[in-house]
Amino acid sequence: MKQQCFLLLSLLGTIGFSQDAEVKKHTLDLSQFYGSVLLHNTDISHLITNHPGGFILGYNRKTYGSQEWEELYNYPDYGASFIYQDMNNATLGRNFGLYAHYNFYFLKRNVQFRIGQGIAYTTNPYDREENFRNNAYGSDFLSSTYLMLNYHKENVISGLGLKAGVSVIHYSNGNFRSPNTSTNTFALNLGLTYDLDGGEEFEYIQTSDREKVSEPIRYNLILRGGLNESDVIGSGQYGFFIFSAYADKRLGRKSAIQLGGDVFFSNFLKELIRFQGTSFPEMYVRTDDDYKRVGVFLGHELFINSMSVITQLGYYVYYPFDFEGRMYNRIGLKRYFGDKMFGAITLKSHGAAAEAVEFGIGIRL
């Protein structure tokens, strides 16, 4: 769980204000939701029996442009939220999640899009003897992401406002432990907002002229690692390491493109190769097949203050053992500490099939 804790603390602490004249404004929101578990994988069809429900409680710090990134992203909010979700299924139980989030605004600030990432605790995970039907959650603690798209109207009456829309809530442990089929809930939500400052309005800071951002090609080195398990339940957790090197070119204030390569040392594949080679001769796997892989990737980085969002699409050029196909993708967060050092937490997948949550540290030269 070190990866999820790092992510949550980074999100909560990523935005610091240094100007004495900054505006501090805070709001609360509470939404009730009711929805359905989506059938993203037929292996969980036996778990979709009822409609889950719950509530989302959020605390928000509003921004007004005291830092440059705030105006670039149309003055978003940032904050923390809590989700209680009753899956209304005895096998799945209930989930309690703590998140860090951003709120982004559109259409004259009447439409709000929230993205939150955090840690969830589930009350009834997989157990070989007592809860073997729960193939969605293989561990007590899960990585969780949620999205909300709402009509959002603050300060309608004496600081009270309304919000209504749709939400998607995802739970998965990133193959930290099997099984890990995961769940995705699509829900309708309705709620209230409350301005802790009594509805007082403030002016947004606007900058008319900005200097153009231009950087030479930068070079990045990063070491990632973590624990994961194959889809064979009970096969055991194994450590992995990934060495990555890539170049990036800044396209402007918000984004950069990346080109690089990865070398994967995934020890869970050693066990999977041994298991398939000795137990399933019809699969034509040899026990001495190499478990290492080498990939090349093209990526994009979206800069938000000292935090950035990375997305990468890769292809294995060295692929001695067939596992989930040659294409892979990675999405996650980077947190810069000064001009050169950064930490990262990313999810590596093959399409929608997660392989691992990766925890990394790197340098940008």
Side-chain angles (χ1 to χ4, degrees), residues 14 39 68 82 112 151 153 202 211 219 227 234 283 313 337 361:
T14 186
L39 185 62
E68 182 184 54
F82 172 81
Q112 182 195 77
Y151 171 76
K153 191 67 173 178
F202 298 95
E211 294 182 4
Y219 300 95
L227 289 173
M283 299 182 73
L313 180 64
F337 302 97
I361 185 168

Side-chain angles (χ1 to χ4, degrees), residues 109-294:
R109 306 187 72 82
N110 289 316
V111 174
Q112 182 195 77
F113 173 70
R114 175 181 292 180
I115 179 168
Q117 176 66 45
I119 307 165
Y121 171 77
T122 183
T123 61
N124 204 24
Y126 169 85
D127 183 89
R128 181 174 296 182
E129 296 181 357
E130 298 182 359
N131 197 27
F132 60 88
R133 291 184 176 87
N134 187 352
N135 61 344
Y137 309 145
S139 56
D140 297 285
F141 289 94
L142 307 167
S143 175
S144 181
T145 304
Y146 81 99
L147 309 174
M148 297 181 76
L149 183 65
N150 286 284
Y151 171 76
H152 184 89
K153 191 67 173 178
E154 294 182 358
N155 196 27
V156 177
I157 302 175
S158 301
L160 282 174
L162 298 171
K163 63 188 306 180
V166 296
S167 303
V168 177
I169 308 171
H170 171 75
Y171 300 104
S172 168
N173 69 19
N175 261 27
F176 178 76
R177 181 178 291 120
S178 292
N180 183 50
T181 314
S182 75
T183 63
N184 298 293
T185 301
F186 179 82
L188 301 177
N189 58 264
L190 177 65
L192 298 173
T193 69
Y194 180 67
D195 188 338
L196 296 177
D197 300 292
E200 184 179 0
E201 299 292 338
F202 298 95
E203 292 293 328
Y204 294 103
I205 300 171
Q206 296 182 346
T207 304
S208 56
D209 296 321
R210 296 186 184 276
E211 294 182 4
K212 183 179 180 181
V213 173
S214 179
E215 286 185 358
I217 294 175
R218 304 285 292 271
Y219 300 95
N220 300 258
L221 299 172
I222 180 170
L223 172 64
R224 297 183 175 95
L227 289 173
N228 66 337
E229 185 175 9
S230 76
D231 292 336
V232 180
I233 298 173
S235 59
Q237 294 171 292
Y238 296 88
F240 65 85
F241 297 95
I242 304 165
F243 296 97
S244 304
Y246 63 92
D248 70 59
K249 175 59 178 174
R250 194 81 179 247
L251 300 179
R253 293 183 179 278
K254 291 185 178 181
S255 63
I257 55 173
Q258 305 169 341
L259 179 64
D262 299 303
V263 181
F264 300 90
F265 299 88
S266 303
N267 289 297
F268 82 97
L269 286 182
K270 279 186 178 180
E271 174 60 23
L272 185 60
I273 290 170
R274 185 201 65 78
F275 175 72
Q276 292 185 359
T278 56
S279 303
F280 299 94
E282 68 275 12
M283 299 182 73
Y284 301 104
V285 174
R286 298 180 303 178
T287 56
D288 61 350
D289 282 346
D290 193 359
Y291 73 101
K292 296 183 289 294
R293 296 165 291 175
V294 178

Side-chain angles (χ1 to χ4, degrees), residues 17-132:
F17 293 85
S18 60
Q19 296 189 12
D20 295 334
E22 67 165 304
V23 175
K24 295 182 179 180
K25 188 177 178 66
H26 311 268
T27 64
L28 296 176
D29 60 74
L30 178 63
S31 298
Q32 186 171 6
F33 66 87
Y34 184 77
S36 299
V37 176
L38 302 177
L39 185 62
H40 71 285
N41 188 321
T42 55
D43 290 343
I44 66 165
S45 57
H46 64 289
L47 299 176
I48 303 177
T49 57
N50 289 303
H51 295 282
F55 66 85
I56 302 171
L57 175 64
Y59 162 80
N60 310 283
R61 167 75 180 273
K62 305 191 77 65
T63 66
Y64 289 89
S66 58
Q67 291 196 17
E68 182 184 54
W69 72 272
E70 300 168 1
E71 183 181 354
L72 290 175
Y73 289 94
N74 195 29
Y75 313 100
D77 312 333
Y78 66 95
S81 43
F82 172 81
I83 295 180
Y84 166 77
Q85 181 169 354
D86 188 341
M87 302 302 293
N88 285 322
N89 179 291
T91 301
L92 291 175
R94 296 170 293 159
N95 297 335
F96 302 84
L98 181 63
Y99 305 79
H101 68 247
Y102 283 104
N103 300 324
F104 298 95
Y105 291 91
F106 308 92
L107 300 178
K108 298 182 178 180
R109 306 187 72 82
N110 289 316
V111 174
Q112 182 195 77
F113 173 70
R114 175 181 292 180
I115 179 168
Q117 176 66 45
I119 307 165
Y121 171 77
T122 183
T123 61
N124 204 24
Y126 169 85
D127 183 89
R128 181 174 296 182
E129 296 181 357
E130 298 182 359
N131 197 27
F132 60 88

Side-chain angles (χ1 to χ4, degrees), residues 1-15 78-81 98-102 115-120 142-146 170 172-174 304 306-310 331-337 342-348 356-360:
M1 292 308 298
K2 292 181 180 179
Q3 296 94 328
Q4 287 83 1
C5 291
F6 170 83
L7 173 60
L8 188 61
L9 291 174
S10 295
L11 279 170
L12 289 172
T14 186
I15 307 169
Y78 66 95
S81 43
L98 181 63
Y99 305 79
H101 68 247
Y102 283 104
I115 179 168
Q117 176 66 45
I119 307 165
L142 307 167
S143 175
S144 181
T145 304
Y146 81 99
H170 171 75
S172 168
N173 69 19
I304 308 174
S306 57
M307 184 74 74
S308 64
V309 180
I310 60 172
I331 185 170
L333 296 174
K334 287 174 67 175
R335 174 67 157 86
Y336 286 93
F337 302 97
F342 62 85
I345 180 168
T346 50
L347 176 66
K348 187 218 174 183
V357 174
E358 306 165 332
F359 176 64

